[in-house]
Amino acid sequence: MNNIQKNRLKDQIFKIWGIGCTLFGLVILFFFIGDILIDGIQRIDWSFITDLPSRKAEKSGIYTALMGSIWILCLTTVIALPIGIAAGIYLEEYSKKGKLSALLEINISNLAGVPSIIYGLLGLEVFVRIMSLGASVLAGSLTLSLLILPIIIVATREAIKAVPTSIKDASYALGASKWQTIWYQILPASSGGILTGVILALSRAVGETAPLIVIGALAYVPFAPSTPMDEFSVLPIQIFNWISRPQHGFIENAAAAIIILLLITFVMNGIAVYFRNKWQKKLK
Amino acid sequence: MTLDKIIDPALKKVPKIEVKDVKVWYSDFNAIKGISMDIKPNTVTAFIGPSGCGKSTFLRLFNRMNDYIDGFKLDGKIKINGDNIYKKKINIEELRKEIGMVFQKPNPFPKSIFDNVAYGLKIQGINDKKFIAERVEKALKQADLWNEVKDDLKKSALSLSGGQQQRLCIARTLAVEPSIILMDEPTSALDPISTAKIEELIFELKEKYTIIIVTHNMQQASRISDYTAFFYLGELIEFDKTKKIFTNPEKQQTENYITGRFG
Ligand SMILES: Nc1ncnc2c1ncn2[C@@H]1O[C@H](COP(=O)(O)OP(=O)(O)O)[C@@H](O)[C@H]1O
Ligand SMILES: [Mg+2]
């Protein structure tokens, strides 16, 4: 066998290995989703979505948990979006590149990798206890905001970095101020990328359980929250709670709730992919 | 400092540029090593010299586009109509409205043709739609692009050809009505026909504007400029009437460069 043939063989082996690995992940995912669908799909109907939780599995619904998740999602967006984007803009466009900003940069990237339960502990101490917000929607949203801020900041910076310098140059050369250049050129050109990052971050937030359990979110709340100061539950906690019950009916409920949660995250990811594609086309 | 103060209206917008012993560093690297020159109003001045000799760096001093570069440091004075443009009080945005710039690669905004040309007015806070439309038309006519785009001003600027894009960038600069226009190799990314169009344009613009153009193309320099400055390794080797530079240069280095013996 000469060298070329050897390389070809290696190529082939690697290709098959790669395909195998990809399939492995996909098969497991399909198996999991299939299993969930079989368990839960017949449980999903309108009353499952609009019913309050109950001790009887077949009368139980996800209304309070779903509303809790929506509240958390909205409030987290309102808190994390402006702060994250502003921080990203600052770091990319305003801060002097030096040791301090390098340190900041490393820290923010690391923060994105901190286990979420740590954020829960931080939220418990700062928001629930020191700021006495209790186990409220607001405390939960603030905690999750901390969790996803690094992701939004990093995504914002990446999107801003992708804007060609030639466009910034053109704007400055016409007499635009820094703020005008950011507002009229940089943000529109990077909005697709920023939005993608934000949506992915939010879809992570909507699936988080651990930090919310730590701050004291409840598995059972009799009513959906109506103000940010109300107690709340969220879908993942509801699922967690149902799964730990012995009765088979609750397992079905859990599977059905998982389907709803997956649906929400798939839709959010789909939107993110849509924006990314649109954005990439625009920049070309 | 206001616009009127930089550009004396009594002088009919024909400012004089004086450069006095200017040195530039990028961190430790000494990119410009002490250059003095005066540039006359309503002339075209060409900057020539081998790559990396500091032409772009020097050109970008006039509208302070080097300011954002990390490690940039300047020594010496640049005066426009007698005012040092690097003194503390200067309003850089106002300065840049007076001193437009066209870049090497056409860099239209990813917006419509109209919005591209209107941008400079918009950022000045001008809202008068009629006024803006008139200015846009005038600028596009001046840049010799109006006839080609007048029916689809709403079209994306990115759909234009390279040559059209560069003329759009010139129109965008003209719409702000500067008095000095800096051009950094504006035709190096273009085909010969587009290049010829832009050269013609520069010739026409000379009547109203002071133009400084960096070029790698000797023929271009000799065709369109009144004065030519030859740079080498951060120094100004020779600066004279273009005719003199190209027929009877004082320095051997200049002659070697323009006859293609190096660079
Ligand atoms: N942003 C920068 N940082 C550091 N050095 C630079 C920068 N821009 C240019 N230089 C250096 O300064 C010198 C002059 O560059 P430039 O003005 O672009 O030359 P030219 O336009 O004549 O080709 C070159 O040696 C280049 O490497
Ligand atoms: Mg250059």
Side-chain angles (χ1 to χ4, degrees):
Chain A
M1 216 172 9
N2 64 25
N3 248 343
I4 295 175
Q5 280 171 320
K6 244 194 231 164
N7 280 337
R8 280 221 186 107
L9 188 70
K10 273 190 205 157
D11 230 29
Q12 282 301 318
I13 293 174
F14 187 75
K15 206 160 144 191
I16 292 167
W17 171 249
I19 292 173
C21 291
T22 313
L23 283 180
F24 178 74
L26 278 179
V27 165
I28 299 229
L29 184 67
F30 273 116
F31 180 76
F32 166 74
I33 291 180
D35 192 47
I36 296 284
L37 280 176
I38 291 167
D39 277 348
I41 195 81
Q42 82 281 9
R43 184 67 186 77
I44 297 181
D45 52 21
W46 191 241
S47 67
F48 180 69
I49 291 171
T50 55
D51 277 354
L52 298 174
S54 148
R55 249 176 299 150
K56 293 202 185 99
E58 54 296 352
K59 283 177 88 182
S60 236
I62 56 166
Y63 184 70
T64 51
L66 183 63
M67 283 303 137
S69 278
I70 291 174
W71 262 97
I72 287 276
L73 199 61
C74 295
L75 213 52
T76 306
T77 311
V78 169
I79 298 165
L81 192 89
I83 299 179
I85 294 178
I89 292 173
Y90 171 77
L91 289 173
E92 205 48 47
E93 292 294 323
Y94 285 93
S95 76
K96 283 253 183 315
K97 306 273 175 281
K99 286 217 177 84
L100 188 71
S101 81
L103 196 74
L104 228 65
E105 196 165 322
I106 293 172
N107 266 305
I108 287 172
S109 304
N110 282 340
L111 278 179
V114 169
S116 57
I117 197 157
I118 309 285
Y119 285 97
L121 292 171
L122 181 67
L124 177 67
E125 193 54 40
V126 176
F127 303 129
V128 177
R129 294 199 180 135
I130 296 178
M131 291 170 66
S132 349
L133 295 174
S136 62
V137 174
L138 184 59
S141 302
L142 285 167
T143 306
L144 289 182
S145 295
L146 286 185
L147 177 77
I148 64 170
L149 264 178
I151 311 176
I152 296 181
I153 294 173
V154 171
T156 302
R157 297 190 59 182
E158 291 306 317
I160 290 178
K161 263 195 204 125
V163 178
T165 12
S166 62
I167 290 189
K168 297 184 207 171
D169 280 349
S171 176
Y172 287 129
L174 286 167
S177 65
K178 193 152 203 166
W179 173 244
Q180 287 174 324
T181 303
I182 290 171
W183 187 250
Y184 291 122
Q185 300 299 340
I186 297 177
L187 278 182
S190 59
S191 60
I194 294 175
L195 220 55
T196 309
V198 166
I199 295 171
L200 290 179
L202 287 173
S203 79
R204 168 156 182 214
V206 85
E208 276 297 338
T209 325
L212 295 181
I213 291 181
V214 172
I215 68 157
L218 303 170
Y220 174 80
V221 278
F223 301 108
S226 54
T227 76
M229 295 315 292
D230 288 346
E231 297 185 311
F232 70 102
S233 182
V234 288
L235 278 173
I237 293 182
Q238 182 73 76
I239 293 165
F240 182 67
N241 173 264
W242 276 340
I243 283 180
S244 54
R245 305 259 194 115
Q247 300 95 320
H248 184 72
F250 283 113
I251 302 293
E252 273 180 18
N253 282 0
I258 288 174
I259 295 172
I260 305 278
L261 184 59
L262 279 177
L263 214 64
I264 294 174
T265 47
F266 280 169
V267 167
M268 289 176 76
N269 281 287
I271 295 172
V273 170
Y274 170 78
F275 278 121
R276 189 170 49 211
N277 289 345
K278 217 173 110 176
W279 177 58
Q280 277 168 349
K281 257 188 227 128
K282 202 172 116 189
L283 271 192
K284 259 173 215 159
Chain B
M1 146 157 330
T2 65
L3 193 140
D4 306 329
K5 204 122 189 275
I6 305 173
I7 310 301
D8 188 348
L11 293 176
K12 284 204 196 124
K13 287 195 150 201
V14 279
K16 197 166 86 181
I17 303 174
E18 295 160 280
V19 181
K20 256 211 175 120
D21 199 23
V22 160
K23 300 187 181 98
V24 172
W25 287 266
Y26 291 120
S27 302
D28 295 335
F29 176 68
N30 188 194
I32 301 287
K33 297 171 183 161
I35 291 182
S36 302
M37 71 193 299
D38 286 356
I39 292 172
K40 291 198 175 68
N42 292 69
T43 57
V44 177
T45 302
F47 287 178
I48 61 170
S51 285
C53 67
K55 306 181 294 294
S56 297
T57 300
F58 193 61
L59 186 76
R60 290 160 63 96
L61 290 176
F62 298 114
N63 63 343
R64 298 193 57 166
M65 284 296 281
N66 292 326
D67 283 25
Y68 300 120
I69 296 173
D70 288 319
F72 166 77
K73 213 177 115 250
L74 173 108
D75 194 39
K77 277 203 181 103
I78 297 181
K79 287 183 175 176
I80 293 181
N81 270 356
D83 265 318
N84 182 2
I85 60 167
Y86 278 87
K87 70 180 178 195
K88 280 235 164 60
K89 277 191 300 181
I90 197 110
N91 179 335
I92 298 183
E93 282 88 40
E94 291 293 331
L95 176 78
R96 291 190 182 136
K97 283 168 200 162
E98 276 307 314
I99 307 178
M101 184 165 216
V102 178
F103 297 81
Q104 183 167 1
K105 237 183 88 203
N107 56 353
F109 301 124
K111 298 176 186 295
S112 73
I113 294 170
F114 185 92
D115 287 347
N116 261 275
V117 185
Y119 183 72
L121 303 170
K122 187 168 129 186
I123 56 175
Q124 292 184 24
I126 297 171
N127 295 319
D128 185 344
K129 286 217 172 83
K130 194 165 152 255
F131 176 80
I132 292 179
E134 281 168 9
R135 272 280 189 93
V136 168
E137 179 174 343
K138 187 176 160 205
L140 283 169
K141 279 179 174 159
Q142 272 182 298
D144 200 16
L145 189 61
W146 176 251
N147 286 331
E148 289 155 71
V149 300
K150 62 171 185 265
D151 296 322
D152 28 34
L153 293 172
K154 291 247 150 53
K155 228 172 55 174
S156 165
L158 301 181
S159 66
L160 298 173
S161 74
Q164 288 175 321
Q165 285 188 7
Q166 194 63 305
R167 275 180 284 146
L168 180 69
C169 292
I170 293 175
R172 183 173 69 182
T173 304
L174 296 177
V176 188
E177 301 202 328
S179 49
I180 300 170
I181 302 175
L182 311 172
M183 298 182 164
D184 194 349
E185 301 186 40
T187 61
S188 66
L190 305 182
D191 61 87
I193 294 175
S194 306
T195 300
K197 272 217 155 115
I198 287 182
E199 284 185 12
E200 233 171 86
L201 193 57
I202 292 170
F203 211 79
E204 288 165 17
L205 292 176
K206 187 171 78 168
E207 270 184 39
K208 283 193 174 163
Y209 305 88
T210 304
I211 297 173
I212 308 177
I213 178 170
V214 173
T215 177
H216 261 127
N217 181 330
M218 293 306 114
Q219 282 89 36
Q220 184 168 71
S222 64
R223 272 196 302 266
I224 62 174
S225 70
D226 306 304
Y227 290 86
T228 296
F230 171 59
F231 294 82
Y232 187 62
L233 293 180
E235 283 178 276
L236 178 64
I237 304 297
E238 193 166 348
F239 175 45
D240 213 324
K241 289 220 163 79
T242 298
K243 214 171 181 180
K244 171 114 169 66
I245 294 272
F246 279 90
T247 52
N248 185 22
E250 297 286 330
K251 303 263 168 62
Q252 189 61 39
Q253 268 172 308
T254 315
E255 182 167 349
N256 290 350
Y257 182 73
I258 57 172
T259 53
R261 249 171 282 172
F262 86 104

